[in-house]
Amino acid sequence: MKVEAIHVRAPDETEVREVGVVDAIAGKGLDGDRYFFADGARPGLALTLIEGDVVRGAGLEPGSTHRQVTVTGAGLNDLVGKKFRVGSVECYGVMLCEPCLHLQEMTRPGIIKELVHRAGLNADILTDGSISVGDEVVTI
């Protein structure tokens, strides 16, 4: 898998924006994102990932799921309970990121059923570094 796109949204913004690179801070999240927790992120809230084929297959626009990192290829679900690296950033797959009513309100009716067990991965960030479009995602 590789990083296909990165989307962040600052706390004062209403829409996500695509960036080419972002700093990842261990235990806190992606610098500049609304889910950056200065006092530390709760488990599984530091980083969210989704497969690009799932986004496209659902007829959604890039970034519309509000997951931070979109990857090419398949296998995100296999990272639950495992350490993996996104570029130089070490992460831990905490749990599947299931679709919710908020996602359905932002997109369209029926998306919850369509994306069950395919809506992404919640992960912890274990080491500081940067994540860039094109970075490899590998199990460690």
Side-chain angles (χ1 to χ4, degrees):
M1 288 182 283
K2 284 188 178 185
V3 175
E4 178 179 305
I6 303 166
H7 291 90
V8 296
R9 185 184 86 177
D12 60 341
E13 296 174 341
T14 57
E15 299 294 323
V16 296
R17 60 187 159 80
E18 190 168 346
V19 297
V21 63
V22 67
D23 289 327
I25 310 300
K28 295 185 177 188
L30 300 181
D31 192 21
D33 188 69
R34 70 195 178 284
Y35 291 123
F36 181 85
F37 298 92
D39 295 333
R42 293 189 317 254
L45 294 182
L47 181 66
T48 59
L49 304 95
I50 192 166
E51 295 171 9
D53 288 341
V54 169
V55 174
R56 287 184 288 281
L60 299 175
E61 294 295 318
S64 65
T65 61
H66 286 232
R67 304 299 183 255
Q68 298 159 320
V69 175
T70 304
V71 300
T72 59
L76 279 180
N77 288 10
D78 297 335
L79 297 178
V80 173
K82 295 180 182 168
K83 286 185 180 180
F84 61 97
R85 187 170 285 123
V86 182
S88 65
V89 179
E90 189 174 313
C91 303
Y92 178 77
V94 176
M95 64 187 159
L96 295 182
C97 188
E98 295 293 2
C100 61
L101 285 175
H102 182 63
L103 176 63
Q104 183 165 282
E105 290 168 359
M106 292 185 311
T107 57
R108 62 175 166 73
I111 200 70
I112 293 175
K113 185 176 180 181
E114 190 174 335
L115 294 183
V116 167
H117 307 313
R118 300 174 345 113
L121 176 71
N122 289 340
D124 288 332
I125 298 171
L126 304 177
T127 61
D128 294 350
S130 63
I131 298 172
S132 301
V133 171
D135 280 350
E136 295 279 342
V137 179
V138 296
T139 307
I140 51 175

